Amino acid sequence: MATRRKTRAPTVGFVSLGCPKAASDAEQILTRLRAEGYEISGSYDGADLVVVNTCGFIDAAVEESLDAIGEALAENGKVIVTGCLGAKKDAAGNDIVRAVHPKVLAVTGPHAMQEVMTAVHQHLPPLHDPFVDLVPPQGIRLTPDHYAYLKISEGCNHRCTFCIIPSLRGDLVSRPVGEVLREAEVLAEAGVKELLVISQDTSAYGVDVKYRTGFWGGKPVKTRLYDLCKELGKLGLWVRLHYVYPYPSVDDLIPLMAEGRILPYLDAPFQHASSRILKLMKRPASAEKVLDRIAAWRREVPDLTIRSTFITGFPGETEAEFNELLDFLDEAQLDRVGAFSYSPVEGAAANELPGALPEEVREERKARLLRHQEDISTQRLERKIGRRIKVLVDDIDEEGAIARSEGDAPDVDGLVYVTDGRDLEIGEFAEVSVIDCDVHDLYATLAVPK
């Protein structure tokens, strides 16, 4: 009797670069690939073709993405490109990716799952096996099992002069609130302990659909950030908000933090403090209003952690305006700060502004800002010494447990090193007592049970 030879499942190598929004796109593509029977490989070896998910925001990211595509072509030869760089054109209107790497099989822009799948089907048809359940309910994710990114919208309605994201990802498109809440519920059921809410402009969720009423659990829920957070807060998870513009509507979220429904954490990209520079950037809000708002937030939630990012060396920025920014940091007392020296990204309106600064000035101001902030961040952490806090364990090594507090987002903020935490489990919550700190991190021991 002849035996039936089992055909090997087609294998797709996957490289993902860029921000959490790009990672969320990658997770959707990976989930679809696995649902159709494709194997996923983290290396070029054994892959029948490679998908490279790119970033195209600043020049350094463009170079990194082009290098990754080149490496994939050299190592494998069959490459499909997706992500933000895929939507970028050069000065002549030609695709940047194809201009540099004409041998790629296909190029798509961001959040283009169907286009990617069409290209994969064309160059590597699926081997369908209807008798095997290939995908867990929560889909395929790039994060550890205990936390996940929850993307609530695509695109952005702002036209910040330093940014080309709207030309890459389009205008704001909010996901239906019921769909977002269902995804969150599935993630919670799969054991996720922390949801990181992301988008290009989280505060604007629902603006494009005029805060349309959706349905969740048989009851009406508005497509609005406050209503979404209120429902997410019922899942018993850590809910962390990223990319929150400081609109007045953000004030409504602070009581949810005070009640413990969502984490007392805001990632708000202020970008500068000079009113003239903010106007040139086409950014909302003034520094004075931001300072008043921060003070009001902290009166209601004293333990609120505020993270922000700033751009140094924007075209025309004077030394006096840069010093305004340093004075703002002294007054705002932000917990976490990231900084970028201005990058003249091709296609950004700010490139046409007068007063472009030399790269060495942009970089020197960035270094000075970060040095200035170090003392502030350290003092904010020192206030936690002697306190008992809750942490989420990310890893275990021979030195103990590596965890994060409510004030620490993965990859961008600090860590909590629990020196006697070797017996803890990854993904477990623990109570610890803070004993020391440095510029970025806390050091702690397991808290004595109450």
Side-chain angles (χ1 to χ4, degrees), residues 403-437:
R404 288 179 294 108
S405 73
E406 293 183 345
D408 300 306
D411 299 326
V412 294
D413 292 327
L415 298 168
V416 182
Y417 292 94
V418 187
T419 55
D420 57 350
R422 282 179 295 277
D423 293 332
L424 294 172
E425 299 285 336
I426 293 175
E428 178 183 358
F429 285 114
E431 296 283 335
V432 301
S433 296
V434 180
I435 57 174
D436 200 0
C437 75

Side-chain angles (χ1 to χ4, degrees), residues 39-322:
E39 295 293 336
I40 307 299
S41 172
S43 68
Y44 303 117
D45 295 337
D48 298 299
L49 64 75
V50 177
V51 175
V52 180
N53 187 30
T54 60
C55 179
F57 184 41
I58 59 175
D59 290 347
V62 170
E63 289 302 318
E64 181 186 19
S65 293
L66 290 173
D67 288 347
I69 295 165
E71 180 181 316
L73 282 168
E75 296 289 335
N76 183 276
K78 298 178 71 176
V79 178
I80 292 169
V81 176
T82 187
C84 285
L85 184 59
K88 286 195 78 170
K89 310 286 184 185
D90 61 20
N94 302 312
D95 289 349
I96 287 179
V97 171
R98 286 201 183 278
V100 179
H101 298 298
K103 293 185 179 180
V104 295
L105 300 176
V107 179
T108 80
H111 54 92
M113 179 178 69
Q114 191 52 56
E115 291 91 334
V116 173
M117 294 306 302
T118 298
V120 171
H121 293 158
Q122 180 183 348
H123 297 284
L124 186 63
L127 176 67
H128 182 57
D129 184 353
F131 302 105
V132 179
D133 184 9
L134 297 165
V135 182
Q138 71 273 19
I140 306 300
R141 294 188 291 110
L142 300 175
T143 51
D145 291 341
H146 59 284
Y147 67 82
Y149 292 103
L150 183 68
K151 189 193 285 187
I152 63 173
S153 65
E154 281 290 357
C156 182
N157 287 344
H158 292 293
R159 294 297 182 264
C160 301
T161 56
F162 56 82
C163 181
I164 58 170
I165 290 297
S167 67
L168 300 178
R169 289 185 171 261
D171 287 337
L172 176 73
V173 179
S174 299
R175 292 179 62 196
V177 67
E179 179 184 301
V180 174
L181 288 167
R182 175 59 187 151
E183 181 180 341
E185 183 182 57
V186 169
L187 290 168
E189 290 168 351
V192 165
K193 303 292 180 63
E194 176 182 13
L195 292 175
L196 299 110
V197 177
I198 59 169
S199 67
Q200 296 300 142
D201 179 3
T202 299
S203 309
Y205 179 63
V207 167
D208 55 314
V209 294
K210 297 181 171 57
Y211 307 115
R212 174 192 304 151
T213 298
F215 288 89
W216 169 244
K219 66 178 183 178
V221 180
K222 282 189 175 296
T223 309
R224 189 172 58 181
L225 186 59
Y226 171 82
D227 301 77
L228 174 65
C229 288
K230 189 174 180 181
E231 295 303 317
L232 290 175
K234 297 175 182 177
L235 295 175
L237 310 177
W238 274 9
V239 177
R240 189 183 302 277
L241 302 181
H242 285 274
Y243 316 116
V244 180
Y245 278 69
Y247 303 141
S249 61
V250 175
D251 298 351
D252 297 335
L253 302 174
I254 302 302
L256 296 180
M257 297 179 185
E259 295 163 12
R261 291 175 182 252
I262 62 176
L263 290 182
Y265 180 98
L266 278 177
D267 172 7
F270 298 134
Q271 305 298 15
H272 214 280
S274 159
S275 58
R276 190 183 77 89
I277 295 296
L278 286 168
K279 191 174 292 185
L280 290 174
M281 290 180 170
K282 291 193 175 176
R283 294 290 292 179
S286 67
E288 295 78 15
K289 288 180 181 175
V290 166
L291 289 170
D292 290 344
R293 188 154 283 134
I294 289 172
W297 292 343
R298 284 192 167 139
R299 279 194 297 272
E300 193 162 353
V301 183
D303 286 336
L304 175 64
T305 295
I306 303 176
R307 169 181 181 76
S308 192
T309 51
F310 297 90
I311 295 174
T312 63
F314 191 78
E317 180 191 61
T318 65
E319 183 69 19
E321 286 167 332
F322 175 71

